[in-house]
Every structure is written in structure tokens, then in C-alpha cells.
Amino acid sequence: MKKFIITFSLAILFTACGQEKKQSININNMNTNYPDINAKNFEQRLSNAVKHFEKEPMYYMRINKINCLVEILINDYPVHKDYELSNYATPIEINHAILKSGEQKLTYRLYPIGNLLKENYGEGDNVSTLTNNTSISISIIKMDNNGKKTLEDEEIIIKNSSLNDAKGNFIGSGKPYYEFTFPFNASVPYENVGWSNGEDLTKLDQKLLEQKARDFYNEYGKTYLNKDADLQASLNFGEEKRNAIALYRRSSEIAELWKEYKSDLNEKNIKVLPLENYRMVFFGNNRILFLQSKSLQLEYRGYGALLVQSEDFNIMPGIYLYLPEGKKLEDGLYMIN
């Protein structure tokens, strides 16, 4: 979920015409695998789902990029996006995209920096392609005991660096986009089903698929207007269960997670904007559907098409949908496990 402070102009807008009227939710457009989950039992049921082990290995990425923007997927599931010139200093955890032990796949997608040089330094041209000195290196790091050891205990599983041609130039120079995938092995004590039992969504009726996705996104937006904590708990439980198991979350962490959900629902002067300017994007080997904003503005780029505005924040929920095997598209989609 993305949340950021709104501008002063929007604050004026809400002062003048803020709306927070409840709307009837068509639950037939929002399937859930967990109808028995609600706001009262969400935390306890999530805590009960987590098992703890003597060794709780955590996997991370360290990324160093030059002259490019980057998106990272693990097993075709999005785990990181960076549309700025700077690099992240801290490692990025990726356990939530590792469903079980064995071979994993990391895919990076590189894009040109556009006009970021001028925006950041006041000079420079718009760069519409990747350059000769574009580069990226990614290290996959493992730490046991749920990351409680020090940096000296890091184990580098693999390090991959982008390729250059015979002249030493980046192999994707001159292109507006470059993608590369490499494998690595992971060993974890858990096993999550996730989206692996979903249908190949690209083989279904695409117009009906988009309509069912739109229906789900629109109804989900109403959960904010209605402050419906029970429905959000039921819909999001599958994904949060996968995350909690993979990250070995403690009860205190789960309590903080649910506190954030409630905080978003309790925002004042909530308004849900119409779905527009989006594209259908498939992840998880075509088993996951995401309605992604087409905007290239930093605060919107790569995030979901549903925009919930409040007095203090904009919220962009990450609504990743799938269709479990054996289910009919006509009956609607589900949020992923």
C-alpha cells in the first residue's frame, strides 16, 4: 500500500467539498477465501498461522545502479521499484516473494532516467534511452535467525552484474527498456501456496477479466468510505498471511500492521477517485492481475489505479487479483494469497 501526504491545494478541495458518504458494497464482486475473518479475529488468526523455527533465514537484495531506473521482480512478483537517481543503502527483504525452497528467479527491468538530471541538479538533457555507462549490480544475501545477526554474518548467495559489449559499453545502450533474469537458490522452512494455484489469466476473456477487475477495485474503494474493517480484514488476510509466514512476524508486528489498516480507514474526508488512466499488468507467470496507473509522476508511477484521497494522505492500495483453479471468471476474482 502506498500512502503519501497530499498537497495544500487538495486540502482546500476537501475543506470545500469533502465527502464521506457510505455506499452500498456489492460483495458479489469481491470474493474472499477467508469469509470467517473479521476485524476482531484478524490479529489472532494471523498470529496463529505463523510458525517459528530455530533458524529463520531471511533473504535480501542489495542493489547498485547507475544511469537507470529499475523495477525488480522475484518469481515474477514485484518486490521493488526505484524511479530516482539515488540508491538504497539498506538491503531489501524478499522473503514474501519466495513461496518455497528451491530455485528462484530474479528479473530486473531497466528504464532511462528521463529528465531527472535537470530535476535534481538544474541542468542536463532529457535521456530517453539507456546509455553506454548504464549499469546495475544485484547481490542476493541470506541471514539466519530472522535477520537478527550483524552485517558481518551476511552470506552472499549470488552477485549479478549487468553485461557490457566488447567496447565496455552497457549491452542495452540505446534501448528504451532492458530486461534480464537470473536464477538463485533459497532454502526456507515454510511453504506458501500463494498464487501458484491460479488460472492463467491471459487465456481468459480479456474484456470480462478487465470488467471483473474494475468491479473489484471499485467495490474495494467503498470499504474506505464505509470504514469497513471487517471486509478489509477478510479480503487482505490471504496476502498478509503469506507475508507473515515468510517474514516470521511476531504478534507485536502483526498488531502494528492491523493498526495501520485501521488508521487508513479512520482518515477524515475520504474520497475515492474514478478508475482511469491505467493498464492491465500480469504478474506471477500470468496468474496475477494488477490495474496499474499509467502516470509517470514519481508519487504514482508503478502503483495501483485505485486512488483514495483523504484530508491528510493519498492511499493507493496494492490490489493484486487472481482466479483460483476451478473457479469461474463470471463469478469474480479474488485477492491473492
Side-chain angles (χ1 to χ4, degrees), residues 78-107:
V79 296
H80 179 65
K81 55 179 75 71
D82 182 2
Y83 305 122
E84 300 187 72
L85 294 177
S86 57
N87 282 294
Y88 282 76
T90 56
I92 301 157
E93 60 188 21
I94 59 175
N95 273 45
H96 59 295
I98 298 174
L99 299 182
K100 61 181 180 180
S101 295
E103 185 177 273
Q104 320 294 321
K105 291 183 178 180
L106 184 148
T107 300

PDB file of all heavy atoms in Angstrom, residues 78-107:
ATOM      1  N   PRO A  78       6.301  -8.491  -8.163  1.00  0.00           N
ATOM      2  CA  PRO A  78       7.025  -7.226  -7.934  1.00  0.00           C
ATOM      3  C   PRO A  78       7.408  -7.034  -6.469  1.00  0.00           C
ATOM      4  O   PRO A  78       6.564  -7.124  -5.582  1.00  0.00           O
ATOM      5  CB  PRO A  78       6.010  -6.161  -8.386  1.00  0.00           C
ATOM      6  CG  PRO A  78       4.673  -6.826  -8.243  1.00  0.00           C
ATOM      7  CD  PRO A  78       4.889  -8.276  -8.529  1.00  0.00           C
ATOM      8  N   VAL A  79       8.692  -6.768  -6.230  1.00  0.00           N
ATOM      9  CA  VAL A  79       9.175  -6.586  -4.863  1.00  0.00           C
ATOM     10  C   VAL A  79       9.833  -5.230  -4.638  1.00  0.00           C
ATOM     11  O   VAL A  79      10.017  -4.811  -3.499  1.00  0.00           O
ATOM     12  CB  VAL A  79      10.167  -7.705  -4.463  1.00  0.00           C
ATOM     13  CG1 VAL A  79       9.479  -9.055  -4.451  1.00  0.00           C
ATOM     14  CG2 VAL A  79      11.382  -7.722  -5.379  1.00  0.00           C
ATOM     15  N   HIS A  80      10.193  -4.534  -5.717  1.00  0.00           N
ATOM     16  CA  HIS A  80      10.904  -3.265  -5.535  1.00  0.00           C
ATOM     17  C   HIS A  80      10.829  -2.433  -6.806  1.00  0.00           C
ATOM     18  O   HIS A  80      10.883  -2.969  -7.916  1.00  0.00           O
ATOM     19  CB  HIS A  80      12.372  -3.532  -5.185  1.00  0.00           C
ATOM     20  CG  HIS A  80      13.185  -2.297  -4.993  1.00  0.00           C
ATOM     21  ND1 HIS A  80      12.975  -1.401  -3.974  1.00  0.00           N
ATOM     22  CD2 HIS A  80      14.226  -1.793  -5.713  1.00  0.00           C
ATOM     23  CE1 HIS A  80      13.843  -0.411  -4.053  1.00  0.00           C
ATOM     24  NE2 HIS A  80      14.610  -0.621  -5.103  1.00  0.00           N
ATOM     25  N   LYS A  81      10.695  -1.132  -6.619  1.00  0.00           N
ATOM     26  CA  LYS A  81      10.754  -0.190  -7.741  1.00  0.00           C
ATOM     27  C   LYS A  81      11.512   1.043  -7.284  1.00  0.00           C
ATOM     28  O   LYS A  81      11.370   1.494  -6.138  1.00  0.00           O
ATOM     29  CB  LYS A  81       9.359   0.171  -8.245  1.00  0.00           C
ATOM     30  CG  LYS A  81       8.423   0.718  -7.176  1.00  0.00           C
ATOM     31  CD  LYS A  81       7.058   1.074  -7.755  1.00  0.00           C
ATOM     32  CE  LYS A  81       6.222  -0.136  -8.048  1.00  0.00           C
ATOM     33  NZ  LYS A  81       5.725  -0.833  -6.840  1.00  0.00           N
ATOM     34  N   ASP A  82      12.356   1.565  -8.140  1.00  0.00           N
ATOM     35  CA  ASP A  82      13.168   2.733  -7.791  1.00  0.00           C
ATOM     36  C   ASP A  82      13.256   3.626  -9.021  1.00  0.00           C
ATOM     37  O   ASP A  82      13.931   3.303  -9.991  1.00  0.00           O
ATOM     38  CB  ASP A  82      14.556   2.299  -7.334  1.00  0.00           C
ATOM     39  CG  ASP A  82      15.427   3.478  -6.912  1.00  0.00           C
ATOM     40  OD1 ASP A  82      14.930   4.628  -6.941  1.00  0.00           O
ATOM     41  OD2 ASP A  82      16.601   3.259  -6.570  1.00  0.00           O
ATOM     42  N   TYR A  83      12.541   4.746  -8.976  1.00  0.00           N
ATOM     43  CA  TYR A  83      12.494   5.670 -10.101  1.00  0.00           C
ATOM     44  C   TYR A  83      13.249   6.958  -9.811  1.00  0.00           C
ATOM     45  O   TYR A  83      12.914   8.019 -10.319  1.00  0.00           O
ATOM     46  CB  TYR A  83      11.031   5.985 -10.455  1.00  0.00           C
ATOM     47  CG  TYR A  83      10.188   4.756 -10.736  1.00  0.00           C
ATOM     48  CD1 TYR A  83       9.036   4.495 -10.001  1.00  0.00           C
ATOM     49  CD2 TYR A  83      10.546   3.853 -11.733  1.00  0.00           C
ATOM     50  CE1 TYR A  83       8.260   3.372 -10.258  1.00  0.00           C
ATOM     51  CE2 TYR A  83       9.783   2.735 -12.000  1.00  0.00           C
ATOM     52  CZ  TYR A  83       8.640   2.501 -11.250  1.00  0.00           C
ATOM     53  OH  TYR A  83       7.877   1.382 -11.506  1.00  0.00           O
ATOM     54  N   GLU A  84      14.264   6.858  -8.958  1.00  0.00           N
ATOM     55  CA  GLU A  84      15.088   8.018  -8.627  1.00  0.00           C
ATOM     56  C   GLU A  84      16.552   7.724  -8.955  1.00  0.00           C
ATOM     57  O   GLU A  84      16.937   6.592  -9.225  1.00  0.00           O
ATOM     58  CB  GLU A  84      14.920   8.370  -7.152  1.00  0.00           C
ATOM     59  CG  GLU A  84      13.480   8.711  -6.781  1.00  0.00           C
ATOM     60  CD  GLU A  84      13.349   9.225  -5.369  1.00  0.00           C
ATOM     61  OE1 GLU A  84      13.768  10.374  -5.121  1.00  0.00           O
ATOM     62  OE2 GLU A  84      12.840   8.485  -4.515  1.00  0.00           O
ATOM     63  N   LEU A  85      17.396   8.771  -8.913  1.00  0.00           N
ATOM     64  CA  LEU A  85      18.806   8.611  -9.256  1.00  0.00           C
ATOM     65  C   LEU A  85      19.596   7.942  -8.142  1.00  0.00           C
ATOM     66  O   LEU A  85      20.565   7.229  -8.403  1.00  0.00           O
ATOM     67  CB  LEU A  85      19.430   9.980  -9.568  1.00  0.00           C
ATOM     68  CG  LEU A  85      18.909  10.713 -10.807  1.00  0.00           C
ATOM     69  CD1 LEU A  85      19.588  12.075 -10.932  1.00  0.00           C
ATOM     70  CD2 LEU A  85      19.150   9.887 -12.063  1.00  0.00           C
ATOM     71  N   SER A  86      19.199   8.162  -6.919  1.00  0.00           N
ATOM     72  CA  SER A  86      19.956   7.652  -5.781  1.00  0.00           C
ATOM     73  C   SER A  86      19.743   6.152  -5.614  1.00  0.00           C
ATOM     74  O   SER A  86      18.827   5.558  -6.199  1.00  0.00           O
ATOM     75  CB  SER A  86      19.522   8.375  -4.500  1.00  0.00           C
ATOM     76  OG  SER A  86      18.126   8.215  -4.298  1.00  0.00           O
ATOM     77  N   ASN A  87      20.594   5.551  -4.776  1.00  0.00           N
ATOM     78  CA  ASN A  87      20.491   4.130  -4.459  1.00  0.00           C
ATOM     79  C   ASN A  87      20.049   3.941  -3.010  1.00  0.00           C
ATOM     80  O   ASN A  87      20.287   4.797  -2.157  1.00  0.00           O
ATOM     81  CB  ASN A  87      21.843   3.440  -4.657  1.00  0.00           C
ATOM     82  CG  ASN A  87      22.154   3.163  -6.111  1.00  0.00           C
ATOM     83  OD1 ASN A  87      21.485   2.369  -6.749  1.00  0.00           O
ATOM     84  ND2 ASN A  87      23.172   3.842  -6.652  1.00  0.00           N
ATOM     85  N   TYR A  88      19.404   2.810  -2.746  1.00  0.00           N
ATOM     86  CA  TYR A  88      19.020   2.465  -1.387  1.00  0.00           C
ATOM     87  C   TYR A  88      20.234   1.928  -0.631  1.00  0.00           C
ATOM     88  O   TYR A  88      20.931   1.049  -1.118  1.00  0.00           O
ATOM     89  CB  TYR A  88      17.919   1.402  -1.390  1.00  0.00           C
ATOM     90  CG  TYR A  88      16.542   1.946  -1.699  1.00  0.00           C
ATOM     91  CD1 TYR A  88      16.175   2.286  -2.996  1.00  0.00           C
ATOM     92  CD2 TYR A  88      15.596   2.113  -0.694  1.00  0.00           C
ATOM     93  CE1 TYR A  88      14.916   2.786  -3.288  1.00  0.00           C
ATOM     94  CE2 TYR A  88      14.332   2.607  -0.961  1.00  0.00           C
ATOM     95  CZ  TYR A  88      13.997   2.943  -2.266  1.00  0.00           C
ATOM     96  OH  TYR A  88      12.746   3.434  -2.541  1.00  0.00           O
ATOM     97  N   ALA A  89      20.446   2.424   0.572  1.00  0.00           N
ATOM     98  CA  ALA A  89      21.597   1.984   1.361  1.00  0.00           C
ATOM     99  C   ALA A  89      21.304   0.675   2.094  1.00  0.00           C
ATOM    100  O   ALA A  89      22.197  -0.151   2.275  1.00  0.00           O
ATOM    101  CB  ALA A  89      21.990   3.062   2.363  1.00  0.00           C
ATOM    102  N   THR A  90      20.059   0.496   2.533  1.00  0.00           N
ATOM    103  CA  THR A  90      19.714  -0.692   3.299  1.00  0.00           C
ATOM    104  C   THR A  90      19.274  -1.819   2.379  1.00  0.00           C
ATOM    105  O   THR A  90      18.692  -1.577   1.317  1.00  0.00           O
ATOM    106  CB  THR A  90      18.575  -0.377   4.288  1.00  0.00           C
ATOM    107  OG1 THR A  90      17.456   0.151   3.569  1.00  0.00           O
ATOM    108  CG2 THR A  90      19.027   0.638   5.311  1.00  0.00           C
ATOM    109  N   PRO A  91      19.519  -3.073   2.772  1.00  0.00           N
ATOM    110  CA  PRO A  91      19.073  -4.205   1.953  1.00  0.00           C
ATOM    111  C   PRO A  91      17.551  -4.320   1.957  1.00  0.00           C
ATOM    112  O   PRO A  91      16.887  -3.892   2.902  1.00  0.00           O
ATOM    113  CB  PRO A  91      19.735  -5.401   2.635  1.00  0.00           C
ATOM    114  CG  PRO A  91      19.980  -4.970   4.038  1.00  0.00           C
ATOM    115  CD  PRO A  91      20.254  -3.499   3.978  1.00  0.00           C
ATOM    116  N   ILE A  92      17.014  -4.910   0.912  1.00  0.00           N
ATOM    117  CA  ILE A  92      15.566  -5.011   0.709  1.00  0.00           C
ATOM    118  C   ILE A  92      15.143  -6.464   0.878  1.00  0.00           C
ATOM    119  O   ILE A  92      15.643  -7.343   0.185  1.00  0.00           O
ATOM    120  CB  ILE A  92      15.191  -4.507  -0.696  1.00  0.00           C
ATOM    121  CG1 ILE A  92      15.643  -3.048  -0.865  1.00  0.00           C
ATOM    122  CG2 ILE A  92      13.698  -4.645  -0.948  1.00  0.00           C
ATOM    123  CD1 ILE A  92      15.839  -2.641  -2.297  1.00  0.00           C
ATOM    124  N   GLU A  93      14.225  -6.733   1.813  1.00  0.00           N
ATOM    125  CA  GLU A  93      13.816  -8.114   2.068  1.00  0.00           C
ATOM    126  C   GLU A  93      12.922  -8.629   0.946  1.00  0.00           C
ATOM    127  O   GLU A  93      12.126  -7.886   0.362  1.00  0.00           O
ATOM    128  CB  GLU A  93      13.095  -8.221   3.419  1.00  0.00           C
ATOM    129  CG  GLU A  93      11.837  -7.379   3.525  1.00  0.00           C
ATOM    130  CD  GLU A  93      11.273  -7.362   4.938  1.00  0.00           C
ATOM    131  OE1 GLU A  93      12.030  -7.641   5.891  1.00  0.00           O
ATOM    132  OE2 GLU A  93      10.066  -7.084   5.075  1.00  0.00           O
ATOM    133  N   ILE A  94      13.059  -9.932   0.659  1.00  0.00           N
ATOM    134  CA  ILE A  94      12.336 -10.524  -0.471  1.00  0.00           C
ATOM    135  C   ILE A  94      11.655 -11.846  -0.112  1.00  0.00           C
ATOM    136  O   ILE A  94      11.100 -12.515  -0.976  1.00  0.00           O
ATOM    137  CB  ILE A  94      13.271 -10.755  -1.674  1.00  0.00           C
ATOM    138  CG1 ILE A  94      14.440 -11.675  -1.299  1.00  0.00           C
ATOM    139  CG2 ILE A  94      13.770  -9.425  -2.223  1.00  0.00           C
ATOM    140  CD1 ILE A  94      15.329 -12.045  -2.478  1.00  0.00           C
ATOM    141  N   ASN A  95      11.666 -12.222   1.184  1.00  0.00           N
ATOM    142  CA  ASN A  95      11.059 -13.496   1.568  1.00  0.00           C
ATOM    143  C   ASN A  95       9.610 -13.637   1.121  1.00  0.00           C
ATOM    144  O   ASN A  95       9.147 -14.735   0.795  1.00  0.00           O
ATOM    145  CB  ASN A  95      11.128 -13.678   3.083  1.00  0.00           C
ATOM    146  CG  ASN A  95      12.418 -14.317   3.541  1.00  0.00           C
ATOM    147  OD1 ASN A  95      13.493 -13.934   3.077  1.00  0.00           O
ATOM    148  ND2 ASN A  95      12.319 -15.296   4.428  1.00  0.00           N
ATOM    149  N   HIS A  96       8.857 -12.542   1.124  1.00  0.00           N
ATOM    150  CA  HIS A  96       7.432 -12.622   0.806  1.00  0.00           C
ATOM    151  C   HIS A  96       7.164 -13.077  -0.618  1.00  0.00           C
ATOM    152  O   HIS A  96       6.053 -13.500  -0.941  1.00  0.00           O
ATOM    153  CB  HIS A  96       6.757 -11.278   1.064  1.00  0.00           C
ATOM    154  CG  HIS A  96       7.319 -10.135   0.274  1.00  0.00           C
ATOM    155  ND1 HIS A  96       8.604  -9.672   0.443  1.00  0.00           N
ATOM    156  CD2 HIS A  96       6.774  -9.370  -0.696  1.00  0.00           C
ATOM    157  CE1 HIS A  96       8.824  -8.658  -0.379  1.00  0.00           C
ATOM    158  NE2 HIS A  96       7.729  -8.462  -1.086  1.00  0.00           N
ATOM    159  N   ALA A  97       8.184 -13.012  -1.489  1.00  0.00           N
ATOM    160  CA  ALA A  97       8.035 -13.487  -2.867  1.00  0.00           C
ATOM    161  C   ALA A  97       8.629 -14.876  -3.059  1.00  0.00           C
ATOM    162  O   ALA A  97       8.553 -15.432  -4.154  1.00  0.00           O
ATOM    163  CB  ALA A  97       8.681 -12.508  -3.837  1.00  0.00           C
ATOM    164  N   ILE A  98       9.218 -15.428  -2.007  1.00  0.00           N
ATOM    165  CA  ILE A  98       9.758 -16.785  -2.039  1.00  0.00           C
ATOM    166  C   ILE A  98       8.718 -17.705  -1.413  1.00  0.00           C
ATOM    167  O   ILE A  98       8.513 -17.693  -0.197  1.00  0.00           O
ATOM    168  CB  ILE A  98      11.097 -16.870  -1.284  1.00  0.00           C
ATOM    169  CG1 ILE A  98      12.136 -15.961  -1.957  1.00  0.00           C
ATOM    170  CG2 ILE A  98      11.593 -18.308  -1.220  1.00  0.00           C
ATOM    171  CD1 ILE A  98      13.450 -15.869  -1.200  1.00  0.00           C
ATOM    172  N   LEU A  99       8.041 -18.495  -2.236  1.00  0.00           N
ATOM    173  CA  LEU A  99       6.945 -19.327  -1.743  1.00  0.00           C
ATOM    174  C   LEU A  99       7.442 -20.605  -1.075  1.00  0.00           C
ATOM    175  O   LEU A  99       6.814 -21.109  -0.145  1.00  0.00           O
ATOM    176  CB  LEU A  99       5.989 -19.676  -2.883  1.00  0.00           C
ATOM    177  CG  LEU A  99       5.295 -18.484  -3.570  1.00  0.00           C
ATOM    178  CD1 LEU A  99       4.335 -18.973  -4.645  1.00  0.00           C
ATOM    179  CD2 LEU A  99       4.564 -17.615  -2.555  1.00  0.00           C
ATOM    180  N   LYS A 100       8.553 -21.140  -1.564  1.00  0.00           N
ATOM    181  CA  LYS A 100       9.090 -22.378  -1.002  1.00  0.00           C
ATOM    182  C   LYS A 100      10.558 -22.507  -1.389  1.00  0.00           C
ATOM    183  O   LYS A 100      11.066 -21.758  -2.229  1.00  0.00           O
ATOM    184  CB  LYS A 100       8.295 -23.589  -1.492  1.00  0.00           C
ATOM    185  CG  LYS A 100       8.318 -23.770  -2.999  1.00  0.00           C
ATOM    186  CD  LYS A 100       7.480 -24.981  -3.421  1.00  0.00           C
ATOM    187  CE  LYS A 100       7.503 -25.166  -4.936  1.00  0.00           C
ATOM    188  NZ  LYS A 100       6.700 -26.345  -5.352  1.00  0.00           N
ATOM    189  N   SER A 101      11.225 -23.487  -0.801  1.00  0.00           N
ATOM    190  CA  SER A 101      12.644 -23.729  -1.087  1.00  0.00           C
ATOM    191  C   SER A 101      12.839 -24.163  -2.538  1.00  0.00           C
ATOM    192  O   SER A 101      11.950 -24.742  -3.166  1.00  0.00           O
ATOM    193  CB  SER A 101      13.191 -24.802  -0.154  1.00  0.00           C
ATOM    194  OG  SER A 101      13.191 -24.383   1.182  1.00  0.00           O
ATOM    195  N   GLY A 102      14.040 -23.900  -3.026  1.00  0.00           N
ATOM    196  CA  GLY A 102      14.382 -24.320  -4.380  1.00  0.00           C
ATOM    197  C   GLY A 102      14.876 -23.161  -5.209  1.00  0.00           C
ATOM    198  O   GLY A 102      15.273 -22.116  -4.682  1.00  0.00           O
ATOM    199  N   GLU A 103      14.866 -23.342  -6.522  1.00  0.00           N
ATOM    200  CA  GLU A 103      15.341 -22.295  -7.417  1.00  0.00           C
ATOM    201  C   GLU A 103      14.332 -21.161  -7.512  1.00  0.00           C
ATOM    202  O   GLU A 103      13.140 -21.385  -7.685  1.00  0.00           O
ATOM    203  CB  GLU A 103      15.598 -22.868  -8.822  1.00  0.00           C
ATOM    204  CG  GLU A 103      16.206 -21.847  -9.770  1.00  0.00           C
ATOM    205  CD  GLU A 103      16.524 -22.425 -11.142  1.00  0.00           C
ATOM    206  OE1 GLU A 103      17.624 -22.970 -11.313  1.00  0.00           O
ATOM    207  OE2 GLU A 103      15.655 -22.326 -12.042  1.00  0.00           O
ATOM    208  N   GLN A 104      14.835 -19.954  -7.403  1.00  0.00           N
ATOM    209  CA  GLN A 104      14.040 -18.736  -7.547  1.00  0.00           C
ATOM    210  C   GLN A 104      14.563 -17.975  -8.762  1.00  0.00           C
ATOM    211  O   GLN A 104      15.665 -18.227  -9.245  1.00  0.00           O
ATOM    212  CB  GLN A 104      14.157 -17.855  -6.297  1.00  0.00           C
ATOM    213  CG  GLN A 104      14.161 -18.606  -4.979  1.00  0.00           C
ATOM    214  CD  GLN A 104      12.864 -19.303  -4.671  1.00  0.00           C
ATOM    215  OE1 GLN A 104      11.787 -18.775  -4.936  1.00  0.00           O
ATOM    216  NE2 GLN A 104      12.942 -20.497  -4.071  1.00  0.00           N
ATOM    217  N   LYS A 105      13.766 -17.022  -9.232  1.00  0.00           N
ATOM    218  CA  LYS A 105      14.202 -16.213 -10.369  1.00  0.00           C
ATOM    219  C   LYS A 105      14.057 -14.727 -10.048  1.00  0.00           C
ATOM    220  O   LYS A 105      13.022 -14.298  -9.546  1.00  0.00           O
ATOM    221  CB  LYS A 105      13.389 -16.552 -11.622  1.00  0.00           C
ATOM    222  CG  LYS A 105      13.667 -17.934 -12.174  1.00  0.00           C
ATOM    223  CD  LYS A 105      12.896 -18.187 -13.466  1.00  0.00           C
ATOM    224  CE  LYS A 105      13.228 -19.571 -14.032  1.00  0.00           C
ATOM    225  NZ  LYS A 105      12.491 -19.832 -15.296  1.00  0.00           N
ATOM    226  N   LEU A 106      15.110 -13.984 -10.316  1.00  0.00           N
ATOM    227  CA  LEU A 106      15.065 -12.527 -10.163  1.00  0.00           C
ATOM    228  C   LEU A 106      15.105 -11.889 -11.546  1.00  0.00           C
ATOM    229  O   LEU A 106      15.948 -12.230 -12.371  1.00  0.00           O
ATOM    230  CB  LEU A 106      16.235 -12.016  -9.328  1.00  0.00           C
ATOM    231  CG  LEU A 106      16.230 -10.515  -9.030  1.00  0.00           C
ATOM    232  CD1 LEU A 106      16.865 -10.232  -7.670  1.00  0.00           C
ATOM    233  CD2 LEU A 106      16.921  -9.689 -10.100  1.00  0.00           C
ATOM    234  N   THR A 107      14.190 -10.983 -11.785  1.00  0.00           N
ATOM    235  CA  THR A 107      14.126 -10.223 -13.042  1.00  0.00           C
ATOM    236  C   THR A 107      14.288  -8.750 -12.737  1.00  0.00           C
ATOM    237  O   THR A 107      13.614  -8.216 -11.855  1.00  0.00           O
ATOM    238  CB  THR A 107      12.784 -10.446 -13.764  1.00  0.00           C
ATOM    239  OG1 THR A 107      12.631 -11.833 -14.067  1.00  0.00           O
ATOM    240  CG2 THR A 107      12.714  -9.632 -15.050  1.00  0.00           C
TER     241      THR A 107
END
